[in-house]
Amino acid sequence: MNDISKHLSNADFEAALKGLNELNISNCKYENFQKESDELFASFMLCHGSSNDTQNKIALKSLNLLKRSCALGETFQNEIIGKKNFLSGLKTILEDEAIPENVRINCLQLLANLCVQNRLNQEAILCELKDFLLKSIESNCCFTNAATMIVYNAFIYKAELGMEVDELLEVLLTNVESNRLAQRETPEFVSIFVEYLACESNEIVDHYEKVSFEKRILFLRYLIEYVRQDDRRSRPLHPDLFKHLLNDFKRKSDCVLKTVDSYLDQKNTEEVFTLLLLMSDATCVHPYESFIRADGALFLNLGCLLRQLQTLGKTDRDNIFAPVQSIGEILKVKQGTSELNIEQDISYSLKSALVKALANLSYRNKKNQNLAREMDIMAAILDCANLDARNPLIKEWSILAIRNLCEDNLENQKFVASLTKVGDAENSLITEYTAEGGTIRIRDGSTASQ
C-alpha cells in the first residue's frame, strides 16, 4: 500500500491501479487492516471526482476492495465505518449528481455491505442517510436496489429506523406502483422487502389502518397478484395478516349491504370490493382455503352481498350492477369501443368474484350448502347463470356453484327440482332464434321490433 500511495502522490495513476489490482484484501490481518483501509479510503477520496478514466478505475477498485473486506467480519466493518468523515463524506458524494453514477452506486453498495448483520452500523447509516435512502426507493432510480437492501437489513435486525412500518410500506408501494405503471420489473430488494412484510412479519397488522387509503388499495392489489402466482404458494401470506384482512372484509362489507347509489363512490366501498377479490381468489388456494371454508359467517356475508347487488341491478337498468347482456354492447366491450367504460367501474367482475367464492366455499361443505338454500343464496346464484359483460365467466361460475351446492345434498337437489318454469328468463342477448337451412340466425334485441 505504501507504493500505491507514493504512485498517487506522483500522479502515476497507471502504477497505482496496477498495485490495487494486485492487492489481495481477503488475506489481510486485522492488525494491518486499519492502515490499509485508511489508504484505500484516501485513494478513493482523491480520485472519485475525476473525469480521468484511470482515476475513475482507481476509485472503483478502492471501493471494491473495501466492499470485499466487509465479508471478513464485524470488526472489519466497524473499522471502515468508524473512519473520520466516512459517512458524511459518502453522503456528500451520493447527493452530488456531478459525481459519476457508477462511483455513487458503488458507494451505496459499500454501505449495504457494511450493514449486513451489523445493527450498530445499520443505525449509524440510517441516522446519516435516511432521507436519501427513502427518496432513492421512492424515485425508482439506479440507487433503489442498494438503498432498499440497507433499509431491509436494518428492519429484519430490529434496528432503530426512525419511522413506523406503515410509513415504510408506503414508500415501498410507491416504487411497486411506479414500476407497474411503467410495465417494468420491480427491483429485486423492493420485491423481497414487500414479500417479507406480507409473509414473514406480522408487524403490518397493527399498523394496517394507519396506511393511507390509496396505499392500502395498492397493497391489496399486490396481495391479489401474489396469491394468484403458483410459485408463491410455498410461501403464503402471514396467517395474522390474512386473518386480519378477512375480518376487515367482513366488518367493512356492512357498508355495501347498506348501499345506496350515492355511497358507491366512497372509499370504504372500493376497499371492500378489493378485499373481496383477494378473498375470492384465496378460496381455492392452499393454505387459505382451509380456514376460509370453515368460516360460515364469511359465506353468509358473501351470499348477502350477492343478493344485495342483484337487487340493485334490477331496480335500475342504468345501475352499474345491472347486467349488460345486449350482444351488440358485449361486442363493443370486447372491441374497446363501448361508451359504458365497464372495465373501469368498481363493479367490474364483482359478482363473478362473489359467485366464484360461493362456488368454492360450497364444495363438499354441508353447512354452507344448507345456508345457501335457507338464505335464498341459491336463487341469487341461479339468477346469475347468464352472460354479462360486466362479469366475465359469471355463467360458468354459477353452473359450478350450483353443482357444488347440490353434490351429496338431497335438500338442495329437491330445491332445484321443485323450480317451476313460469316463462323464459329475460335475456336481451337473444330475442330471436331460428334455424333455417342449417343456419342459426341471431338478432340483437335493439332490432327485434322491426
Side-chain angles (χ1 to χ4, degrees):
M1 286 299 300
N2 288 333
D3 290 340
I4 295 172
S5 299
K6 185 184 298 184
H7 293 319
L8 288 173
S9 299
N10 296 329
D12 189 352
F13 300 119
E14 292 290 346
L17 180 60
K18 181 180 178 182
L20 287 170
N21 286 331
E22 293 173 351
L23 184 63
N24 186 359
I25 199 73
S26 300
N27 294 329
C28 183
K29 302 294 184 183
Y30 179 70
E31 52 267 26
N32 300 322
F33 183 69
Q34 180 178 7
K35 182 179 179 181
E36 291 199 0
S37 58
D38 281 345
E39 295 189 9
L40 285 172
F41 185 55
S43 300
F44 165 72
M45 293 300 290
L46 177 67
C47 298
H48 74 272
S50 174
S51 59
N52 178 278
D53 184 59
T54 303
Q55 286 183 267
N56 182 264
K57 290 179 180 178
I58 290 172
L60 291 176
K61 185 63 180 180
S62 299
L63 281 177
N64 283 328
L65 288 168
L66 289 171
K67 285 194 291 184
R68 287 170 54 191
S69 68
C70 293
L72 297 175
E74 185 176 323
T75 52
F76 288 79
Q77 295 172 351
N78 294 343
E79 177 60 40
I80 296 171
I81 204 170
K83 296 185 184 304
K84 184 178 180 180
N85 299 325
F86 177 81
L87 283 177
S88 60
L90 289 193
K91 179 183 179 182
T92 300
I93 292 170
L94 286 168
E95 294 176 343
D96 186 352
E97 295 183 2
I99 303 296
E101 188 176 274
N102 59 347
V103 172
R104 296 163 71 204
I105 290 174
N106 274 271
C107 284
L108 202 55
Q109 290 172 346
L110 171 58
L111 292 173
N113 287 5
L114 286 169
C115 72
V116 173
Q117 299 182 12
N118 192 321
R119 180 173 173 175
L120 290 177
N121 284 359
Q122 292 161 3
E123 292 179 346
I125 292 169
L126 279 167
C127 181
E128 187 75 32
L129 289 158
K130 185 180 78 170
D131 290 342
F132 174 82
L133 295 173
L134 297 180
K135 181 181 177 181
S136 296
I137 297 172
E138 279 191 325
S139 62
N140 202 35
C141 60
C142 59
F143 308 122
T144 297
N145 215 41
T148 310
M149 177 184 174
I150 292 171
V151 181
Y152 171 72
N153 273 291
F155 183 83
I156 63 176
Y157 280 94
K158 310 298 182 184
E160 178 56 52
L161 298 179
M163 63 188 305
E164 297 290 347
V165 67
D166 52 287
E167 299 173 274
L168 181 57
L169 180 61
E170 293 207 17
V171 170
L172 293 166
L173 290 172
T174 299
N175 180 281
V176 171
E177 180 65 2
S178 66
N179 280 290
R180 185 190 69 82
L181 293 174
Q183 297 184 327
R184 292 190 301 256
E185 287 289 327
T186 302
E188 179 185 10
F189 264 93
V190 173
S191 295
I192 289 172
F193 205 164
V194 177
E195 190 172 321
Y196 179 86
L197 289 173
C199 303
E200 301 297 329
S201 170
N202 65 351
E203 293 181 55
I204 192 62
V205 172
D206 292 334
H207 294 264
Y208 180 75
E209 295 301 328
K210 297 179 184 178
V211 178
S212 67
F213 167 76
E214 291 77 12
K215 292 301 191 294
R216 284 206 306 272
I217 296 297
L218 290 180
F219 186 50
L220 291 174
R221 289 173 181 165
Y222 172 88
L223 297 180
I224 290 168
E225 292 303 316
Y226 185 88
V227 167
R228 287 175 177 173
Q229 297 176 39
D230 290 340
D231 60 345
R232 294 292 192 266
R233 296 185 181 184
S234 60
R235 194 185 190 195
L237 303 181
H238 195 286
D240 291 347
L241 173 62
F242 188 79
K243 290 175 183 177
H244 176 83
L245 295 175
L246 176 60
N247 291 329
D248 202 39
F249 167 72
K250 289 189 289 186
R251 177 171 56 87
K252 292 180 178 177
S253 61
D254 183 58
C255 76
V256 179
L257 292 172
K258 299 174 181 177
T259 293
V260 294
D261 286 350
S262 61
Y263 195 55
L264 288 176
D265 292 329
Q266 297 298 315
K267 292 180 178 180
N268 279 349
T269 304
E270 183 178 354
E271 186 169 4
V272 168
F273 289 176
T274 310
L275 280 164
L276 169 61
L277 295 177
L278 174 62
M279 296 304 149
S280 179
D281 284 342
T283 57
C284 57
V285 176
H286 179 77
Y288 317 110
E289 91 287 356
S290 59
F291 53 87
I292 286 182
R293 281 168 53 81
D295 192 333
L298 173 64
F299 184 86
L300 187 58
N301 189 287
L302 293 169
C304 290
L305 272 174
L306 180 62
R307 287 170 47 195
Q308 177 74 356
L309 298 186
Q310 290 284 74
T311 301
L312 284 169
K314 291 178 179 179
T315 55
D316 182 358
R317 302 306 296 178
D318 293 327
N319 190 291
I320 62 172
F321 297 112
V324 175
Q325 296 176 320
S326 162
I327 191 169
E329 197 60 51
I330 290 175
L331 288 173
K332 288 180 182 179
V333 170
K334 289 184 176 180
Q335 295 166 357
T337 59
S338 173
E339 296 180 359
L340 294 179
N341 203 22
I342 287 173
E343 295 184 6
Q344 302 305 314
D345 289 338
I346 57 175
S347 61
Y348 184 70
S349 291
L350 185 62
K351 285 195 286 186
S352 291
L354 280 166
V355 177
K356 173 185 175 180
L358 292 167
N360 290 330
L361 295 176
S362 301
Y363 181 66
R364 296 181 180 176
N365 188 315
K366 192 67 175 287
K367 179 182 177 181
N368 287 345
Q369 289 174 339
N370 291 337
L371 272 175
R373 182 185 69 256
E374 295 163 0
M375 300 302 296
D376 292 331
I377 297 170
M378 282 187 73
I381 293 173
L382 284 165
D383 203 25
C384 292
N386 287 299
L387 294 176
D388 180 2
R390 292 191 191 276
N391 291 282
L393 298 178
I394 192 168
K395 179 179 179 180
E396 290 76 8
W397 282 116
S398 298
I399 293 170
L400 178 63
I402 295 301
R403 182 262 179 208
N404 288 348
L405 286 166
C406 291
E407 183 182 20
D408 294 329
N409 191 308
L410 186 59
E411 293 87 349
N412 284 358
Q413 293 172 21
K414 288 180 178 178
F415 171 81
V416 174
S418 69
L419 296 175
T420 303
K421 180 177 179 179
V422 295
D424 293 332
E426 180 184 349
N427 190 339
S428 58
L429 177 63
I430 300 174
T431 58
E432 185 177 306
Y433 176 94
T434 60
E436 296 179 358
T439 64
I440 295 176
R441 182 160 56 91
I442 300 175
R443 192 165 67 196
D444 184 3
S446 61
T447 61
S449 61
Q450 297 178 2

